Amino acid sequence: MQRRSFVPGTALATVAALAATLTACTGDSGAAGGSADTKGGGAAATSASAEPGKYKTLPEPCGLPSKGILRRLLPPGGTENPQDADKVYAGTADITYDTDRRVGCRWKREAPDGTRHLTLDFERVVSYDPAVSDDDKAQNVYGKKELAAQLPAGGNSTSPTPSSSSGKDDKDGQPGQNTPDDQGTQNDSPDGDQAAGKAAAGGKASPASSAPPASPSGSPSDTPGSDIAPRVLDGLADAAFLNDKLVTADSGVHRDVTIVFRSSNVIVTLSYDQWSADKTTLPDSRDLQEKAQALAQELADRFNE
């Protein structure tokens, strides 16, 4: 049987070809592995999240106002005993499901010049969008409240135009939360947001959004002057506005003063009203506003401590 001859050069060429093929495969595998690591969460692929808000929790609202401020807003009756006074000033906490996100307190004082009510609502806003900071989300929520208040023309509104979502469904980034609304600051007119938006943009507002609150008698002297009309408040927290409404009911007349301010990612709503059974005796707008602003400033200072 004839034997084949052995050619050394051919064998060496075959070995070299196999080595080159193995080297190429190994290099491709390493490149693919490096690409997978980068996509899997490498530093180059990680985007920075927006800044969180300043506040992680909320204070207990019933104990936040000082006793001196409460005595000014809720003056004691002449025959009231100390035990009843302490009960009034202690307030009643609102029932909430998450005290780190929303808390509130309310007080009621019956006096010879009319019953007075005070309510506080603290809302901590959290953004669930990594591209939107908690402060920006809170400013958007605050802006919707200011637009809903329909401040009159010349109120120096600086609030941004709200997004397309509803203010009631987006109070703290959690649609459908069962929480109290804006304590009477919103107007129920279906065209209210459009009119307020025109006023904030510098356009012509409708009469409903530009007219000051009407009095029961309709007398011009009963409407607040320009210095006490509903307006944006400068120098209070990061943003603030005041609303003032005089309302007539079968049981009497009451004036409602509401102050809303934003401190970082917390929105505070303060509502203060006085009822009078005598419709000819109107609650004094300036007096109520000055007392409400004193409490609002004290609260803003406490948040900044």
Side-chain angles (χ1 to χ4, degrees), residues 94-292:
D94 291 342
I95 298 176
T96 57
Y97 299 101
D98 187 350
T99 55
D100 284 338
R101 296 295 301 277
R102 192 154 201 162
V103 292
C105 189
R106 58 191 66 247
W107 295 260
K108 178 181 178 181
R109 161 72 74 188
E110 295 182 359
D113 59 345
T115 303
R116 303 193 184 209
H117 301 85
L118 171 66
T119 62
L120 293 180
D121 178 76
F122 299 163
E123 176 186 359
R124 186 174 69 90
V125 180
V126 177
S127 172
Y128 293 98
D129 185 347
V132 179
S133 68
D134 291 347
D135 280 20
D136 289 342
K137 179 69 175 180
Q139 177 60 26
N140 184 265
V141 175
Y142 165 85
K144 292 176 183 178
K145 291 177 179 288
E146 184 180 318
L147 288 174
Q150 295 189 341
L151 302 182
N156 299 323
S157 174
T158 57
S159 300
T161 302
S163 61
S164 58
S165 60
S166 169
K168 291 184 179 180
D169 292 338
D170 199 19
K171 298 178 82 62
D172 61 358
Q174 289 184 323
Q177 183 175 354
N178 184 19
T179 55
D181 208 342
D182 296 333
Q183 304 292 342
T185 62
Q186 294 189 0
N187 190 299
D188 294 333
S189 170
D191 298 327
D193 289 345
Q194 295 180 0
K198 291 181 180 179
K204 184 177 180 181
S206 66
S209 65
S210 60
S215 65
S217 63
S219 171
S221 61
D222 293 332
T223 59
S226 59
D227 59 331
I228 56 175
R231 63 199 180 277
V232 170
L233 297 176
D234 296 327
L236 178 62
D238 295 322
F241 71 86
L242 179 149
N243 203 5
D244 187 322
K245 292 184 178 181
L246 189 64
V247 182
T248 303
D250 293 339
S251 57
V253 60
H254 62 97
R255 183 176 294 282
D256 303 333
V257 174
T258 302
I259 296 178
V260 179
F261 70 83
R262 179 183 72 85
S263 180
S264 184
N265 61 318
V266 169
I267 296 176
V268 175
T269 301
L270 183 163
S271 298
Y272 180 46
D273 66 63
Q274 179 180 352
W275 283 76
S276 175
D278 184 1
K279 295 183 180 180
T280 64
T281 304
L282 301 180
D284 185 79
S285 180
R286 188 180 300 276
D287 176 67
L288 296 181
Q289 287 192 25
E290 289 178 352
K291 292 177 179 178

